[in-house]
Amino acid sequence: MQTIRGTKDILPSDIYKWQELYLKAIEIFNIYDYLEIKTPIVETTDLFLRSVGNNTDIVSKEMYIFSDRGGRALTLRPEGTAPIARAIINNKLYLDNNIQKLWYMGPMFRYERPQSGRQRQFHQLGIECIGSNSPLAEVEVITIIKQILDTLRCQDYQIEINSIGNKEERIQYTKDLVNYMSEFEYDLDVTVRKRLLNNPLRLLDSKDPKIQSILNKAPILIDYLGKKSLKHFTAVCKYLDDLNITYKINHKLVRGLDYYNDTTFEITSKKLGGQNTICGGGRYNELINSLGGPNLPGVGCAIGIERLMIIRDKIDKISNDKKRVHVIIQSHKENQKGLEIITKLRSANILFHLELEDINIQKQIQKAIKNKALCCIIIGENEILNRTVTIKWLKGKFQETVQEEKIIEYIKIKLSQIDRY
Ligand code: ATP
Ligand code: MG
């Protein structure tokens, strides 16, 4: 049996990199006082129809929709922001505090063509800063993501930023864009023409060189922004400048979800091939209100963890080796003594691995070497008679007999001098 197409097992040999991300990210979230939230993986289909938008790629072709045994229309969440907006409304979190600073990490589901950096079940680490219309909210969110990337030593990434203004500005712009593009209608294929009807803004970030060359002379969204929108965008850019955060303004950066307004941003990496976006986000001032909640603006973004892990693998090989001892019990007659010794190790917080495979002692030692253990604690018949254990140091290739009551003290001293062994 195989995993479903586009899904992957994350094996123990890889998961420690995920744990590293998780631990380092938590430290950073803690500094900025962002709290974790976990929402269900399944939601009503309606939630995404009403938030992400009917004509977006996600809703029109990527969602895992099914009906449960009670006939409810459900969807495996394709993204994290709409569920969080729903959770804020359902749980009336805003009554407690008008500002909610949240983060999440978990699986998302999109029915896409699997390829490197693109899966059907993938994972996102995301943050949402809800309740503020201040440009400082964008700046905080971008700073946190940047810190996560820097802490993981991801270099060669680029932050791109744009403003897509408010709804009226976008409507006016879209009208003019469609007019302009219609002149080239006969050069455009069916999917592009369809897009021109359904979601013309998305044409801006088309990768098709023909479209991009047509767009060279198209009207530019930023020229349609009024004073207020421009002021907000300029402030976001200025604060980023103040913090010496390097970014590039990309006037064609529109995002694939309907709920964004004003600021949109993406982070791309040269270390990735075709799927080079590691993080996408933006401001969403109408989302919570449109789902029936109060008028709460927000800013958020999400990192694609699989893509981040591809970059991590290219940067350096982090080591998962721990200072661990390998406990070898020679025969079942010594089991009880073995358990006593393990209990002592555990109480002293010494990391160990109890060998359970029924093989001869030489093979057990070979396994310890393969597992990169520092030493083997061997408990056999003679040792029990003498109330000792044998400790074999694998790197130094020597062994010592240690009195049972001195084991912990002995190992601790040795571990503190470990580089010599
Ligand atoms: P793309 O243009 O690559 O499809 P997107 O705009 O659909 O990305 P978002 O909805 O903004 O992506 O999601 C944020 C991040 O989640 C992306 O930048 C990417 O790193 C990651 N991501 C999105 N879809 C997938 C997927 N199918 N597999 C793996 N990661 C993904
Ligand atoms: Mg996509």
Side-chain angles (χ1 to χ4, degrees):
M1 287 233 266
Q2 302 233 316
T3 55
I4 295 168
R5 187 165 142 79
T7 68
K8 271 188 186 161
D9 298 312
I10 306 161
L11 299 174
S13 52
D14 276 323
I15 203 97
Y16 68 93
K17 292 178 227 160
W18 291 62
Q19 290 168 343
E20 185 207 25
L21 163 68
Y22 195 66
L23 293 175
K24 292 196 164 159
I26 286 181
E27 266 176 40
I28 294 170
F29 292 137
N30 204 11
I31 291 172
Y32 284 88
D33 201 16
Y34 277 64
L35 306 178
E36 184 175 7
I37 182 167
K38 276 192 188 292
T39 61
I41 282 168
V42 279
E43 296 273 358
T44 61
T45 300
D46 197 40
L47 171 64
F48 302 106
L49 297 183
R50 284 174 58 187
S51 53
V52 175
N54 271 326
N55 290 319
T56 60
D57 281 352
I58 291 181
V59 169
S60 66
K61 54 185 188 197
E62 294 173 1
M63 290 210 304
Y64 273 90
I65 300 178
F66 63 100
S67 50
D68 72 1
R69 288 172 189 271
R72 300 171 190 88
L74 303 181
T75 290
L76 296 182
R77 64 175 182 200
E79 60 101 49
T81 305
I84 287 177
R86 182 209 41 71
I88 286 176
I89 301 168
N90 279 173
N91 298 287
K92 296 196 171 60
L93 294 186
Y94 47 86
L95 292 183
D96 211 30
N97 189 340
N98 259 327
I99 306 282
Q100 295 290 324
K101 297 187 177 189
L102 304 168
W103 69 272
Y104 61 92
M105 174 160 143
M108 304 293 159
F109 303 83
R110 297 185 194 176
Y111 194 81
E112 301 192 72
R113 193 171 67 78
Q115 50 198 292
S116 167
R118 195 176 290 289
Q119 294 173 198
R120 291 183 173 172
Q121 176 178 338
F122 61 101
H123 296 76
Q124 285 185 336
L125 173 69
I127 56 186
E128 313 289 350
C129 175
I130 290 164
S132 167
N133 203 9
S134 164
L136 290 183
E138 276 96 331
V139 174
E140 183 162 88
V141 166
I142 293 173
T143 313
I144 292 175
I145 293 295
K146 182 175 156 40
Q147 266 180 29
I148 293 175
L149 296 179
D150 290 345
T151 306
L152 294 173
R153 295 180 296 284
C154 295
Q155 305 121 347
D156 285 341
Y157 62 82
Q158 182 159 58
I159 303 172
E160 294 188 26
I161 179 165
N162 189 24
S163 173
I164 58 168
N166 64 31
K167 212 184 223 147
E168 292 71 46
E169 291 157 356
R170 269 194 314 282
I171 290 174
Q172 188 55 49
Y173 172 71
T174 308
K175 235 160 104 191
D176 289 359
L177 177 69
V178 172
N179 270 340
Y180 169 83
M181 291 299 285
S182 308
E183 288 173 32
F184 302 89
E185 210 179 328
Y186 297 105
D187 294 334
L188 307 174
D189 65 33
V190 192
T191 40
V192 177
R193 272 190 253 168
K194 230 172 158 182
R195 182 136 273 187
L196 204 54
L197 274 177
N198 294 332
N199 196 354
L201 274 188
R202 265 337 278 280
L203 285 177
L204 294 182
D205 61 10
S206 158
K207 296 214 163 71
D208 183 341
K210 196 164 88 191
I211 307 240
Q212 280 304 332
S213 86
I214 295 176
L215 282 171
N216 277 338
K217 292 210 173 109
I220 298 171
L221 181 47
I222 196 96
D223 294 336
Y224 289 70
L225 301 196
K227 248 192 196 148
K228 208 169 149 211
S229 300
L230 277 177
K231 192 172 159 217
H232 187 88
F233 185 54
T234 317
V236 172
C237 295
K238 180 188 177 302
Y239 295 138
L240 291 175
D241 290 337
D242 290 347
L243 291 174
N244 280 328
I245 294 179
T246 316
Y247 60 90
K248 188 178 127 194
I249 295 176
N250 172 0
H251 288 311
K252 288 185 184 149
L253 179 66
V254 287
R255 312 237 36 264
L257 301 94
D258 275 1
Y259 52 65
Y260 287 119
N261 66 276
D262 287 293
T263 321
T264 53
F265 58 91
E266 265 183 16
I267 303 179
T268 53
S269 169
K270 289 195 192 94
K271 292 234 170 351
L272 292 170
Q275 320 308 321
N276 65 351
T277 312
I278 32 176
C279 176
R283 176 169 278 286
Y284 49 85
N285 287 355
E286 319 289 332
L287 174 63
I288 294 179
N289 187 242
S290 76
L291 290 173
N295 226 330
L296 280 178
V299 183
C301 66
I303 297 182
I305 302 182
E306 279 79 3
R307 293 188 196 173
L308 188 61
M309 291 302 154
I310 296 176
I311 300 176
R312 282 296 283 119
D313 281 344
K314 289 188 179 163
I315 295 168
D316 52 20
K317 294 271 171 266
I318 50 169
S319 153
N320 190 33
D321 300 343
K322 303 225 168 74
K323 292 181 178 178
R324 194 177 289 284
V325 304
H326 204 87
V327 179
I328 296 177
I329 301 174
Q330 242 171 340
S331 82
H332 64 89
K333 284 185 238 143
E334 293 89 38
N335 275 352
Q336 199 181 349
K337 182 59 70 190
L339 287 177
E340 268 174 42
I341 287 171
I342 281 169
T343 309
K344 282 187 189 167
L345 293 173
R346 199 230 321 118
S347 307
N349 286 333
I350 294 171
L351 310 187
F352 64 86
H353 179 91
L354 171 63
E355 182 53 62
L356 286 175
E357 198 175 349
D358 198 6
I359 44 177
N360 73 35
I361 199 159
Q362 277 320 313
K363 285 195 174 146
Q364 296 201 6
I365 293 170
Q366 287 309 318
K367 265 183 87 175
I369 293 170
K370 193 173 156 222
N371 290 349
K372 300 198 175 119
L374 297 168
C375 66
C376 294
I377 302 181
I378 301 166
I379 306 152
E381 213 172 343
N382 278 339
E383 282 83 359
I384 295 216
L385 278 177
N386 300 324
R387 296 189 57 78
T388 59
V389 295
T390 300
I391 301 194
K392 187 178 175 65
W393 292 92
L394 298 173
K395 232 178 165 183
K397 295 202 172 86
F398 67 97
Q399 63 182 47
E400 283 178 310
T401 305
V402 180
Q403 287 299 318
E404 215 186 287
E405 63 276 9
K406 297 240 168 83
I407 298 176
I408 298 299
E409 196 188 337
Y410 168 85
I411 291 181
K412 281 204 156 165
I413 291 173
K414 291 282 188 193
L415 288 183
S416 68
Q417 311 164 333
I418 201 61
D419 291 338
R420 283 194 257 152
Y421 293 93

